[in-house]
Amino acid sequence: MEIKVISFGQIAEITGREFVSEAGDLDSLKLFLIQKFPELSERKFAFAVNKKLVQENIILNQNDVVALMPPYSGG
């Protein structure tokens, strides 16, 4: 299943801003990302799927857009 991955902030410095990947769910995507970019294992980041912040493992669908979001604070 092909999905688009976009990254922001410090995460984009590691992975690049945008790429296409294959994953069936968020857990398998996270595993893939840590294998491909070992530096991510030391970073905290959140997932947003199709512009909605997600904290649990969900099934991904063809053409979903997954955003890797670094920690942020309001002000």
Side-chain angles (χ1 to χ4, degrees):
M1 173 121 10
E2 200 168 86
I3 57 167
K4 181 178 179 181
V5 180
I6 57 176
S7 303
F8 298 94
Q10 317 163 331
I11 306 301
E13 292 173 14
I14 298 168
T15 64
R17 285 201 139 337
E18 187 175 307
F19 60 94
V20 174
S21 183
E22 291 193 14
D25 60 28
L26 279 183
D27 283 350
S28 59
L29 177 61
K30 186 171 185 175
L31 242 144
F32 165 78
L33 290 170
I34 289 172
Q35 288 175 348
K36 185 168 180 167
F37 307 104
E39 192 177 339
L40 287 180
S41 65
E42 301 168 8
R43 305 283 178 136
K44 289 186 178 186
F45 59 93
F47 288 105
V49 178
N50 300 324
K51 299 183 180 180
K52 292 183 181 180
L53 204 54
V54 178
Q55 295 186 7
E56 68 278 349
N57 184 33
I58 64 166
I59 302 297
L60 297 171
N61 298 302
Q62 182 73 23
N63 298 321
D64 276 349
V65 177
V66 178
L68 307 180
M69 316 271 294
Y72 54 90
S73 60

